[in-house]
Amino acid sequence: MLELIVISTLNGLLFGMLLFLLSSGLTVIFSMMGVLNFAHASFYMLGAFFGYQLTKWIGFWPALLLAPLLVGAIGMAVERYGLRNTHKHGHVAELLLTFGLAFAIEEIVAMMWGRSPVDYRVPALLDFPAFTIFSTNYPAYKIFMLAVSILIFVVLLMVLKRTRVGLIVQAALTHPHMVGHLGHNVGRIFMLVFGVGSALAGIAGVIAGPALVTQSDMAAALGPILFVVIVFGGLGSLPGAFIASLVIGLIQTFAVALNGSLASAFGPLDPSAGPSVLTDIWNVTIAQVAPIVPYLLLVIILIVRPMGLMGTRET
Amino acid sequence: MHRLVIAAAAALTIVGGAAFAQETIKFGYIDPLSGGGASVGEGGLKTFQYLADEINAKGGILGRKIEILPLDNKTNPQESLVQAQKAIDAGARFITQGNGSSVAAALSDFVTKNNTRNPGKEVLYFNYAAVDPSLTNEKCSYWHFRWDASSDIKMEALTSYMKDIAAIKKVYLINQDYSFGQSVRADARKMLGAKRPDIQIVGDELHPLLKITDFSPYVAKIKASGADSVVTGNWGQDIALLLKAAADAGLKVNWYTYYAGGAGGPTAIKQTGLDHQVFQITEGFANSGHQPAMDFEKAFRAKVNMSLWYPRAVNEMRMFKAAAEKANSLDPVKVAAALEDLKFEVLDGGEGVMRKDDHQFFQPIYISSFGKLAANEPFDEEGTGWGWHLVSKVDTSKTMVPTTCKMTRP
């Protein structure tokens, strides 16, 4: 039992940190620009595929550097030539643009790399078990993922809270005209922010690609959960997204580990009642409903605390 | 006047008939070409296209060429019905599908209703991979033919093999949460319980179909249960990811699987280093040793650049041709009648038969293990250098399971 708890905690932390890496970019973009970027998970997928392709050509480590830059560049182009033009038509137009972009990217990726998973492997340097607890190996690569996520969280928070750049970026959100009058190019700031947000998704893609599976529907698989994270954590709050990622990662992992059902807690229903919808519900285990738990959380938090855990504004 | 009309009608029929003869046989392929099942769906499509090319190169069926219509159902029953209607509208009288028994049940139902409502425009449904036993039992249909062994046939063979292995003491079941996964789990419990009552079932997991991106939590659970063997019917990305998570965690158990050979599976097994500890149950495999099958495999790999996952698809298409030629017609009603009790030499050797009672094809079944290749085994998988090795063969006669099917015949 202890073994399961320890391993589940580690797995939960890891999944949570991956979620954070993804949602951090989304949060940064949202808090700066007010754009809910539906294509964010697609940038993550681009990161994974660029990472895969570049790894084949020039090796994993240069790819880890180059692929996010490429994704960032694409993000900037999207902002400059797409979002900036639709901005004047309001948020719905922006939302729809990113929504369409998500589908377009999925199709383009499928066209270029096919719909089957590509053979994207963990770099040889990190392909060994880092340590063994209770005879379960913990791969070094997962520790590396964990370290990168934490590093990015710290760096982001420092940049936003402690540097001049962060100050300007934050000011540009609430008072774009004032920042403009002070001589800063607000358009360029937005473009850079969007680029950085996309690049963060790109990093997540490059490092998660080998650990999970790199294929053309990976964005669609992860997209919905990201929105749960940023709404749960509080729209626009980086620490909120951090906490929410960990909470959701842990909840999901532990839910899988639990076999309990209503039947095991209160005993089976009267068999004379015969099989019905009720017996089915009664016998469903927590593990079976694990995948919907985060969405349940989303619904509850929207009812109880619409601004999310650490959010400051009403949604 | 009257004669003129008859003559005109006859002339029209002849002209129409001639135009019809030149038309291709439209063969609807309805399977996932996007989403989590896309890797297997694409593999199947390439296989059927190859088989159609093969038949066309030899003059087609009754002088007409086969054309495969690829239709993406996203592993979704509702979407499949839309695609099936599209296939029919495009002129297809034969459709094939394999991935997902829930999809198969919906399609079988759809085709049955369609054929009742549109006499003279019947459609046949060839199932090459959906193995839920109910499709040839309580839900059986005259218009549905299955070339894959149903999951209870496979489980019967698998448990017969497992019962003689004394080292198996604790078994963990992990399956996808839908009709097929549930039947694998129920069959495994029932058959293992009957053949080896001393085996303990230490876990019985159901997880959502094609939705999990990381199986580490499930692997942690398997590990904690102390299982020495895992039985799973998982397919598509679910088996690849499950094996991958097991490889990462260093989980050392024996795997008894239906579909470990699908895309990504062999690569993951190689990573685990589980040399000949992953078993698969199939109706044929690359290194079966049967020369015609190995020649086919070689030509197939050279052209399509993948290994043959579906020897049954070869049987399906070749039997389709055989039945049409036996009936001397491409009318689905006549083809269906010709298929009943049709005996056929299968790709991997041995005789199979399409049972009239339930339209289930019976054929020799193999259990193979994945690992380092022996000298007479030329085929590896996914460039791993490892391949499938024969462990056990079950003859056709020993795979015959009873059926409860009571089909309405036209």
Side-chain angles (χ1 to χ4, degrees):
Chain A
M1 196 60 207
L2 181 68
E3 172 182 0
L4 192 58
I5 292 172
V6 172
I7 298 290
S8 294
T9 310
L10 268 173
N11 281 330
L13 281 179
L14 188 90
F15 183 55
M17 288 312 289
L18 184 71
L19 281 180
F20 170 71
L21 206 52
L22 274 162
S23 51
S24 62
L26 193 58
T27 300
V28 166
I29 290 172
F30 182 80
S31 65
M32 295 308 145
M33 309 172 60
V35 179
L36 201 49
N37 181 12
F38 267 100
H40 196 72
S42 308
F43 287 123
Y44 155 76
M45 175 164 74
L46 281 180
F49 275 94
F50 288 167
Y52 158 73
Q53 200 60 54
L54 290 170
T55 300
K56 258 173 80 177
W57 290 337
I58 53 176
F60 180 78
W61 301 104
L64 182 59
L65 194 74
L66 269 179
L69 288 179
L70 268 174
V71 177
I74 293 175
M76 286 200 277
V78 166
E79 201 282 333
R80 175 67 187 80
Y81 300 104
L83 286 174
R84 198 174 293 182
N85 294 329
T86 44
H87 184 70
K88 46 183 171 291
H89 305 297
H91 284 317
V92 175
E94 286 176 333
L95 205 92
L96 290 175
L97 177 83
T98 60
F99 195 68
L101 198 62
F103 285 100
I105 291 177
E106 178 169 341
E107 285 309 310
I108 292 167
V109 165
M111 263 187 257
M112 291 183 70
W113 286 281
R115 292 193 189 271
S116 308
V118 295
D119 184 22
Y120 186 12
R121 298 196 191 176
V122 170
L125 188 63
L126 289 172
D127 196 9
F128 62 92
F131 54 84
T132 309
I133 1 167
F134 305 107
S135 79
T136 293
N137 293 339
Y138 217 76
Y141 191 74
K142 291 199 165 179
I143 302 299
F144 166 72
M145 282 169 72
L146 205 61
V148 172
S149 307
I150 294 171
L151 183 76
I152 284 178
F153 172 61
V154 173
V155 169
L156 260 184
L157 212 59
M158 291 309 239
V159 168
L160 282 177
K161 299 282 180 200
R162 295 266 184 277
T163 66
R164 207 180 138 73
V165 177
L167 207 67
I168 297 166
V169 165
Q170 285 192 327
L173 170 68
T174 45
H175 302 94
H177 294 294
M178 190 52 111
V179 174
H181 289 313
L182 287 172
H184 298 289
N185 185 338
V186 177
R188 193 193 294 158
I189 292 173
F190 278 1
M191 188 169 82
L192 284 174
V193 165
F194 202 89
V196 169
S198 310
L200 282 174
I203 295 176
V206 179
I207 68 169
L212 306 177
V213 166
T214 304
Q215 63 180 15
S216 65
D217 73 329
M218 61 198 289
L222 261 176
I225 196 99
L226 288 187
F227 290 100
V228 177
V229 170
I230 63 162
V231 173
F232 187 70
L235 285 169
S237 163
L238 207 54
F242 184 75
I243 293 168
S245 305
L246 290 185
V247 167
I248 287 170
L250 286 170
I251 285 181
Q252 228 179 351
T253 314
F254 272 98
V256 166
L258 295 173
N259 274 331
S261 62
L262 288 170
S264 64
F266 302 107
L269 283 183
D270 184 8
S272 63
S276 71
V277 180
L278 272 181
T279 45
D280 283 348
I281 295 175
W282 200 251
N283 287 313
V284 161
T285 63
I286 298 176
Q288 268 174 279
V289 296
I292 59 158
V293 170
Y295 302 99
L296 209 62
L297 276 179
L298 173 74
V299 172
I300 293 171
I301 198 107
L302 279 175
I303 295 169
V304 180
R305 196 180 150 82
M307 71 287 273
L309 279 183
M310 319 247 318
T312 45
R313 65 167 104 182
E314 292 286 341
T315 47
Chain B
M1 186 63 201
H2 193 66
R3 272 195 185 163
L4 200 66
V5 171
I6 291 174
L12 269 177
T13 320
I14 291 162
V15 170
F20 197 62
Q22 285 157 2
E23 254 179 50
T24 55
I25 306 164
K26 303 247 172 34
F27 195 84
Y29 174 84
I30 303 173
D31 255 320
L33 298 172
S34 62
S39 58
V40 283
E42 279 206 336
L45 177 59
K46 286 182 191 162
T47 309
F48 277 100
Q49 277 166 342
Y50 180 87
L51 290 164
D53 290 347
E54 190 187 57
I55 288 174
N56 291 342
K58 289 179 190 160
I61 300 178
L62 301 174
R64 285 170 63 186
K65 306 236 152 136
I66 300 186
E67 180 193 350
I68 307 286
L69 305 176
L71 298 153
D72 179 14
N73 71 359
K74 307 182 176 84
T75 332
N76 176 327
Q78 195 55 45
E79 181 68 25
S80 301
L81 304 190
V82 175
Q83 299 301 331
Q85 190 59 52
K86 254 167 96 175
I88 293 171
D89 292 345
R93 305 286 296 276
F94 302 92
I95 58 172
T96 196
Q97 177 271 347
N99 298 298
S101 289
S102 48
V103 171
L107 274 179
S108 178
D109 194 40
F110 174 83
V111 167
T112 308
K113 279 184 189 146
N114 175 77
N115 294 356
T116 321
R117 287 172 194 160
N118 304 294
K121 289 186 175 175
E122 287 84 356
V123 174
L124 287 192
Y125 165 31
F126 294 163
N127 169 1
Y128 73 95
V131 297
D132 184 345
S134 70
L135 291 166
T136 47
N137 285 299
E138 63 270 22
K139 288 187 200 155
C140 70
S141 160
Y142 180 79
W143 309 104
H144 162 266
F145 291 85
R146 168 154 63 197
W147 270 270
D148 200 358
S150 67
S151 77
D152 51 350
I153 299 174
K154 290 186 181 184
M155 190 53 81
E156 186 73 54
L158 194 61
T159 48
S160 294
Y161 171 72
M162 288 173 77
K163 80 173 194 302
D164 296 329
I165 297 173
I168 302 177
K169 294 204 165 57
K170 291 180 171 182
V171 170
Y172 198 99
L173 310 174
I174 178 164
N175 287 293
Q176 294 153 327
D177 196 359
Y178 78 117
S179 57
F180 160 65
Q182 281 160 0
S183 76
V184 169
R185 142 204 225 209
D187 288 343
R189 274 184 173 275
K190 193 177 78 197
M191 292 173 185
L192 277 178
K195 291 173 188 171
R196 276 284 300 276
D198 61 307
I199 288 181
Q200 225 185 319
I201 307 282
V202 292
D204 187 353
E205 190 86 57
L206 288 173
H207 63 78
L209 173 66
L210 301 173
K211 290 230 159 44
I212 311 276
T213 45
D214 183 10
F215 273 91
S216 314
Y218 294 95
V219 166
K221 222 170 146 184
I222 297 173
K223 188 118 193 171
S225 73
D228 54 52
S229 305
V230 176
V231 174
T232 177
N234 279 11
W235 55 270
Q237 69 178 23
D238 283 345
I239 185 71
L241 287 173
L242 178 61
L243 288 168
K244 193 167 179 170
D248 282 346
L251 177 68
K252 297 279 177 207
V253 294
N254 285 326
W255 293 84
Y256 295 92
T257 76
Y258 282 34
Y259 303 114
T267 306
I269 302 169
K270 178 72 190 293
Q271 280 175 6
T272 60
L274 290 172
D275 192 9
H276 293 295
Q277 282 185 276
V278 178
F279 301 88
Q280 182 178 230
I281 180 146
T282 52
E283 75 291 4
F285 61 102
N287 294 315
S288 67
H290 187 64
Q291 202 52 47
M294 288 173 80
D295 292 343
F296 184 93
E297 181 85 31
K298 198 173 170 190
F300 184 78
R301 287 188 180 204
K303 189 167 169 204
V304 188
N305 200 21
M306 61 178 269
S307 43
L308 180 68
W309 301 338
Y310 305 117
R312 51 191 180 266
V314 183
N315 299 334
E316 176 184 312
M317 288 303 260
R318 289 182 177 174
M319 272 180 84
F320 172 37
K321 182 175 156 85
E325 282 167 0
K326 184 178 153 197
N328 196 26
S329 164
L330 276 158
D331 178 7
V333 181
K334 290 180 182 154
V335 173
L339 273 172
E340 289 199 318
D341 277 338
L342 185 64
K343 289 196 169 69
F344 185 80
E345 174 79 15
V346 298
L347 178 69
D348 282 275
E351 189 171 79
V353 60
M354 179 60 76
R355 187 162 70 183
K356 189 177 177 181
D357 304 340
D358 56 351
H359 292 184
Q360 167 69 50
F361 188 60
F362 288 90
Q363 57 202 320
I365 297 284
Y366 299 86
I367 294 169
S368 51
S369 67
F370 192 72
K372 293 193 185 87
L373 290 167
N376 58 345
E377 295 169 340
F379 299 111
D380 77 336
E381 300 292 328
E382 298 186 350
T384 55
W386 284 14
W388 295 101
H389 168 79
L390 178 66
V391 171
S392 173
K393 180 182 176 184
V394 186
D395 287 324
T396 310
S397 59
K398 287 188 186 143
T399 65
M400 298 276 190
V401 291
T403 177
T404 59
C405 170
K406 289 185 189 67
M407 60 176 65
T408 8
R409 294 170 175 278

